[in-house]
Amino acid sequence: MKAIVILLDSVNRHFLGLYGQALAHTPNIDRLAKKSVIFDNHWAGSLPCMPARRDLFTGRLNFLERNWGPMEPFDHSLGEALREHGVYSHMVTDHYHYFRTGGENYVQQFDTYAFVRGQELDPWVSKVSRPESAAAFIGKRHPQYELNRTAFHSEADFPSPKTLKQAAEWLESNKDEDRFLLWAEAFDPHEPFDLPQERLHPILHSYSGPEYMWPEYGVVDVPDQALAHIRSRYSALLEMADHWVGKLLDVLDRHNLWEDTTVIFTSDHGYLLGEHSFFAKNYMPVYNEIARLPLTVHLPGGAHAGTRIQALTQSVDLYPTLLESFGIDPQRSCRNRLHGKSLLPLINGQSDKLRDELIYGYFGKNVNITDGQWVYFRSAGEADNRPLHVYTAMPTTLGHALGPSHIEDLKAIEAGAFLSWTEYPVYRIPGHVIRTNDRTQSFLHTGDLIKAHRLFDLSADPCQNNQLFDEDAEKQMIYKLISCMHRHDAPEEQFARLGLQARL
């Protein structure tokens, strides 16, 4: 048995034909979906990028304990669990956050890995003199990316095409092997929405404004023409990634590897492109465009292909699913208590659900819950967002060490076995003394955009356009939220921070 995971970053599933709207043309993802089981109610857990990956690689939600950060030394990773049972693993990726401070220990779990350079702020092309900015542009630009893109002379030079091409080449050279996992992870369609000229040229026919390829996170503040243009760029970037996904699928076709290979397609989180008047993620409430993800699973031989599953599933479920696909018992093999559950009983018809509700969110911001019909966003009870602690044995975060900005605040850091599910000692760092260099990651204050509780009925309002005020429904969701937080080992102060009773 073989397994392949294809992960594209920041996929807004409304752009995919398999979820109905088809705002982009993705024939290769559609081609894979026809051979697969499609999950209609699949959700993120911890957000954004690295928290989502820690969920994927540990089968546990981590956003109740810490913010963006590395794999912890007490995590029993997917690659490690596979290796212990004789399964080889290889990653190909251009996701440069794996190689930044705050992304430690992720790629090291694989037996081998390949890193394709050049995405976003990857410090790759080196030149002392910084390039000048364009005379006119909207949104963001960054000198390092301006240098990186000087190395992209054709579509095949862009990092995500190179990533998926290398994944296809690795599969070609290992087609006759058995018991391996290939993790093919492309950064696109994550911003910046940069494109080769042949893909950009048709888009520019309908746009006459300044260059615009990198939206600011937050409230939409651009003209309608620019909004339409950035959505077109996103769509074209997703289409480019889809084209190169096809190269990987071609290898499966050429050697009939579909017969003995599990192939999973998914994303880490979604992305807002003007919906709810927001761009991107992090600042705003976690609307479904961010939290509800694509997921398709092809089983060897195409078993149950064409089935659509409505049960609630989550990113943490991929860890036990992959283990079970190789005949490994997830519960007995994992040294940490799993939150995820294998998808195989759902696919095989042995079960009609894995859970009644699930929670998701960013560390230190709203904790959100859905039972499939209702979605409830629960915000902090106090303006100062206390009590809140980061629990970690690896005190780094996005781009820098995680710690207080003032020397006197060091006295507030404690060490001990504070987590209920592991005896491993960790640092307990008060959230209010931490400063994050990336302002979109800040959790010091919840902010005006997410400070209110919100309730939505997806059965009547699937696009979440109408916030409801239903006391009975809110009470039911609060009860479910408390229960779900307990099942996910939430530190006690999280209940107090959210204004919830710690016991039902």
Side-chain angles (χ1 to χ4, degrees):
M1 216 289 290
K2 310 170 178 62
I4 301 170
V5 174
I6 303 169
L7 191 150
L8 302 183
D9 199 295
S10 304
V11 176
N12 180 322
R13 75 178 207 166
H14 292 165
F15 283 72
L16 299 176
L18 66 138
Y19 290 107
Q21 293 193 30
L23 300 177
H25 180 57
T26 54
N28 292 296
I29 293 172
D30 293 345
R31 163 184 162 199
L32 174 58
K34 288 178 181 178
K35 296 177 177 289
S36 305
V37 176
I38 299 172
F39 290 79
D40 287 324
N41 229 348
H42 187 63
W43 296 73
S46 305
L47 299 163
C49 298
M50 299 320 289
R53 283 158 179 78
R54 189 170 171 222
D55 283 8
L56 287 165
F57 290 135
T58 65
R60 292 183 52 84
L61 290 181
N62 69 90
F63 80 95
L64 295 171
E65 297 171 0
R66 71 151 301 156
N67 65 330
W68 177 301
M71 294 278 282
E72 298 283 352
F74 45 84
D75 288 336
H76 191 196
S77 71
L78 174 64
E80 184 179 8
L82 291 174
R83 186 181 306 113
E84 290 166 356
H85 291 83
V87 179
Y88 189 93
S89 62
H90 178 69
M91 171 190 267
V92 186
T93 186
D94 59 339
H95 194 106
Y96 76 107
H97 291 304
Y98 284 123
F99 303 90
R100 298 183 71 188
T101 300
E104 296 88 352
N105 300 337
Y106 286 90
V107 300
Q108 289 81 3
Q109 70 184 288
F110 292 89
D111 289 293
T112 51
Y113 59 86
F115 176 30
V116 176
R117 304 297 302 272
Q119 283 286 11
E120 203 185 38
L121 308 187
D122 178 19
W124 179 43
V125 175
S126 180
K127 190 174 183 181
V128 174
S129 298
R130 303 281 87 183
E132 294 183 4
S133 294
F137 65 92
I138 301 175
K140 295 190 289 188
R141 290 179 69 94
H142 195 281
Q144 183 59 59
Y145 185 67
E146 293 303 308
L147 289 173
N148 290 349
R149 68 197 299 247
T150 63
F152 310 154
H153 305 296
S154 68
E155 178 167 316
D157 295 324
F158 278 69
S160 284
K162 288 173 70 173
T163 296
L164 294 164
K165 181 174 182 286
Q166 285 193 27
E169 291 169 347
W170 188 92
L171 183 61
E172 182 74 46
S173 66
N174 290 277
K175 63 183 183 298
D176 297 323
E177 302 293 340
D178 194 25
R179 292 184 68 77
F180 66 73
L181 167 66
L182 169 60
W183 191 280
E185 180 178 329
F187 196 65
D188 290 340
H190 191 290
E191 80 279 353
F193 307 143
D194 194 11
L195 295 156
Q197 275 303 122
E198 58 269 26
R199 291 189 182 271
L200 183 60
H201 187 69
I203 297 172
L204 294 177
H205 278 307
S206 58
Y207 179 65
S208 58
E211 182 182 276
Y212 186 28
M213 67 174 179
W214 201 330
E216 293 278 4
Y217 283 32
V219 177
V220 173
D221 61 351
V222 299
D224 289 347
Q225 187 192 42
L227 175 58
H229 178 66
I230 205 69
R231 288 176 65 88
S232 294
R233 276 185 174 262
Y234 174 88
S235 180
L237 192 60
L238 178 56
E239 290 173 359
M240 183 172 80
D242 174 85
H243 173 78
W244 292 90
V245 166
K247 304 297 183 184
L248 184 55
L249 303 186
D250 289 345
V251 181
L252 287 153
D253 285 343
R254 193 156 50 244
H255 303 290
N256 197 27
L257 298 179
W258 299 105
E259 292 303 309
D260 63 349
T261 306
T262 294
V263 184
I264 297 174
F265 165 72
T266 193
S267 185
D268 54 348
H269 53 71
Y271 198 90
L272 286 164
L273 289 144
E275 302 93 338
H276 311 285
S277 299
F278 291 117
F279 278 133
K281 54 190 189 289
N282 297 359
Y283 278 123
M284 65 294 296
V286 188
Y287 290 106
N288 285 2
E289 289 85 356
I290 299 172
R292 205 168 180 181
L293 307 180
L295 175 65
T296 68
V297 178
H298 164 83
L299 293 185
H304 308 287
T307 303
R308 298 192 81 108
I309 291 179
Q310 304 301 318
L312 288 170
T313 60
Q314 197 165 25
S315 294
V316 289
D317 297 334
L318 267 62
Y319 179 106
T321 300
L322 285 163
L323 289 183
E324 192 169 306
S325 295
F326 284 103
I328 304 167
D329 186 328
Q331 299 299 331
R332 292 187 177 184
S333 299
C334 184
R335 292 193 291 274
N336 295 334
R337 191 167 74 85
L338 293 175
H339 296 151
K341 299 179 181 181
S342 172
L343 301 170
L344 296 186
L346 284 178
I347 296 174
N348 295 327
Q350 299 169 321
S351 176
D352 61 358
K353 66 177 180 179
L354 300 182
R355 54 179 62 82
D356 291 316
E357 58 272 324
L358 54 81
I359 56 174
Y360 53 97
Y362 303 92
F363 174 79
K365 299 184 181 182
N366 291 357
V367 177
N368 314 286
I369 183 169
T370 184
D371 60 5
Q373 176 184 353
W374 297 93
V375 168
Y376 181 55
F377 303 157
R378 183 75 183 189
S379 69
E382 299 295 333
D384 64 0
N385 202 24
R386 301 188 197 185
L388 180 67
H389 294 88
V390 168
Y391 295 88
T392 180
M394 292 282 295
T396 60
T397 190
L398 178 55
H400 61 95
L402 181 65
S405 57
H406 301 290
I407 192 68
E408 59 269 21
D409 289 330
L410 287 171
K411 298 176 182 178
I413 300 177
E414 303 172 276
F418 294 118
L419 296 177
S420 63
W421 59 276
T422 178
E423 293 300 314
Y424 202 99
V426 295
Y427 295 107
R428 182 164 69 179
I429 309 173
H432 69 275
V433 308
I434 293 172
R435 301 296 183 270
T436 53
N437 291 348
D438 184 330
R439 59 192 176 91
T440 77
Q441 303 289 328
S442 175
F443 46 82
L444 290 179
H445 302 281
T446 55
D448 291 339
L449 295 179
I450 60 172
K451 71 179 181 181
H453 311 321
R454 288 178 169 85
L455 179 70
F456 300 95
D457 180 359
L458 297 184
S459 62
D461 179 28
C463 295
Q464 296 175 290
N465 291 323
N466 301 300
Q467 180 181 345
L468 296 180
F469 299 91
D470 184 322
E471 289 187 9
D472 290 338
E474 184 174 15
K475 286 179 181 178
Q476 291 177 16
M477 295 307 290
I478 289 173
Y479 181 89
K480 293 178 179 180
L481 176 59
I482 294 171
S483 176
C484 209
M485 287 174 63
H486 278 298
R487 292 199 301 274
H488 290 85
D489 309 305
E492 289 292 315
E493 76 262 15
Q494 284 280 7
F495 297 92
R497 182 182 75 89
L498 298 171
L500 300 172
Q501 296 179 350
R503 295 287 177 264
L504 295 171

